[in-house]
Amino acid sequence: MSRVVSLIAVETGLPTDDIHRLIRSAPRRYKVFHIPKRSGGTREIAQPAREVKLLQRVLVTHVLSSLPVHDAAMAYRTGRSILTNATCHAGHGPILKMDFKDFFPSIRAEDWMVFCRNAQLFDESDAELSAQILFRKAKHEHVLKLSIGAPSSPVLSNVLLVPFDVMVAAEASKRGIKYTRYADDLTFSGQRIGMLKDMIDVVRLTTKQIRRPKLTINSEKTTFVTAKHCRVVTGVTLANDGALSLGRDRKRMLSARVHHAVLGKLNPDELLRLSGDLAFANVAEPSFIDRLSNKYGSEAIQTIRHAPRSS
């Protein structure tokens, strides 16, 4: 029997025939919706059906979670967060920020299958079965891609980006530069901007050298920030004294939006976006959520944080 099917059968109690049927249909069993982005516009989320999530979580728990991840990867790991990521760069001077275009969809099933082959994790049959569980096939597309919304996508992306992280971290270390990656957000900090400029070419060259996954840098979002300006890393403001916060302007904006929510002046989409922003704030600066609760009432804050997703 297939190792993948056997594992799922043991962990879920499902009959093997049912598991095979689920796997065959898994790449197409996603609910697609859109959520507002902080920068404007919307982001497509493809959430797998409950049964597909069950299969994905089995693989996360018993396969993916035991695979190596580079120390520079900060997202989706126990004990790490946006705050941990920002802390790594506190007091390190100028910052270079870069990111990838269409990060999750750039990661394909073939990338995973090649990884399985090279790591001798699964044979070809099990690699293909696991790919059907972990990757989505969108309408009018012929390839399986990683989806934003699947519980397995975050850890899988960290596993498949180990070669990228190894190469970039090694080059950064040679230059005395600190490197972290939070999903598609790359952050470098060092003593001088001149030192950081080298890393732009390093990242571009590395994306060309690694064959899988095929990553593309979003050049429009490549920015340098010095200590003279507001340095923000994954949404957290770094003060020159090493302190971390959401930033004064952002906190004022969030407080005003909470006030509007309490008065019933936000539509469902605006309320959902505020819910996400408060969840972010709770990680980045928990004391700010406490102050909002004291000002507007803890029940009101909890109601906003648990705003229902619009259909």
Side-chain angles (χ1 to χ4, degrees):
M1 181 188 293
S2 156
R3 283 179 56 201
V4 169
V5 173
S6 178
L7 173 63
I8 293 171
V10 169
E11 293 301 318
T12 65
L14 291 170
T16 57
D17 287 346
D18 289 350
I19 294 171
H20 279 291
R21 281 195 292 270
L22 277 173
I23 292 175
R24 284 195 295 270
S25 64
R28 300 182 297 278
R29 299 185 64 187
Y30 285 75
K31 177 183 178 182
V32 179
F33 57 93
H34 295 82
I35 61 172
K37 297 168 64 175
R38 288 192 182 91
S39 57
T42 61
R43 174 177 286 109
E44 181 182 272
I45 306 296
Q47 191 172 80
R50 182 177 59 183
E51 296 84 357
V52 178
K53 281 185 181 179
L54 176 64
L55 304 189
Q56 291 176 346
R57 287 185 174 122
V58 169
L59 291 184
V60 168
T61 301
H62 297 281
V63 179
L64 300 181
S65 62
S66 63
L67 296 175
V69 173
H70 195 274
D71 194 53
M74 294 288 163
Y76 323 121
R77 300 179 66 184
T78 302
R80 299 193 179 192
S81 67
I82 52 175
L83 193 61
T84 311
N85 186 53
T87 300
C88 290
H89 301 279
H92 278 250
I95 288 171
L96 164 65
K97 297 194 290 185
M98 305 178 71
D99 75 5
F100 298 117
K101 287 183 179 178
D102 302 321
F103 179 55
F104 277 2
S106 296
I107 301 174
R108 311 293 179 88
E110 184 63 24
D111 302 331
W112 166 245
M113 293 177 67
V114 170
F115 172 88
C116 291
R117 187 182 308 131
N118 293 339
Q120 298 183 335
L121 180 64
F122 290 133
D123 61 23
E124 289 296 315
S125 176
D126 275 326
E128 184 172 352
L129 288 174
S130 61
Q132 288 181 281
I133 294 170
L134 297 169
F135 292 81
R136 171 192 174 220
K137 185 178 185 298
K139 290 182 179 179
H140 312 300
E141 292 189 350
H142 302 290
V143 297
L144 300 179
K145 301 178 180 180
L146 215 55
S147 75
I148 302 174
S152 51
S153 292
V155 62
L156 184 52
S157 68
N158 277 343
V159 168
L160 294 180
L161 258 73
V162 167
F164 174 87
D165 289 333
V166 166
M167 294 174 69
V168 172
E171 292 299 322
S173 179
K174 289 178 184 177
R175 296 163 173 80
I177 291 171
K178 180 67 179 180
Y179 161 64
T180 61
R181 180 180 58 80
Y182 195 94
D184 59 345
D185 290 324
L186 315 179
T187 305
F188 303 89
S189 57
Q191 297 304 310
R192 299 186 304 276
I193 284 184
M195 298 167 59
L196 295 174
K197 287 181 178 179
D198 287 350
M199 297 311 302
I200 296 178
D201 289 334
V202 166
V203 171
R204 288 175 178 164
L205 181 61
T206 303
T207 58
K208 293 178 181 178
Q209 289 179 330
I210 62 168
R211 298 186 61 187
R212 297 181 182 280
K214 294 291 185 183
L215 302 170
T216 304
I217 296 299
N218 188 346
S219 298
E220 295 180 358
K221 292 189 176 181
T222 297
T223 58
F224 290 98
V225 186
T226 68
K228 294 180 180 179
H229 301 86
C230 181
R231 294 176 298 160
V232 179
V233 175
T234 48
V236 180
T237 298
L238 308 184
N240 291 336
D241 62 0
L244 308 175
S245 85
L246 287 166
R248 181 179 58 187
D249 292 342
R250 188 171 189 179
K251 285 187 283 190
R252 285 178 176 173
M253 177 270 294
L254 284 175
S255 183
R257 287 167 60 201
V258 168
H259 180 65
H260 288 157
V262 170
L263 296 178
K265 294 183 178 181
L266 298 187
N267 63 41
D269 285 341
E270 291 170 332
L271 197 60
L272 179 61
R273 183 174 178 179
L274 177 58
S275 174
D277 287 342
L278 291 185
F280 179 91
N282 190 50
V283 174
E285 193 176 345
S287 61
F288 175 64
I289 296 297
D290 293 337
R291 293 198 295 275
L292 288 178
S293 296
N294 290 335
K295 184 174 183 179
Y296 298 105
S298 58
E299 185 176 346
I301 299 303
Q302 288 303 312
T303 299
I304 295 170
R305 293 186 62 187
H306 293 89
R309 179 178 290 120
S310 56
S311 59

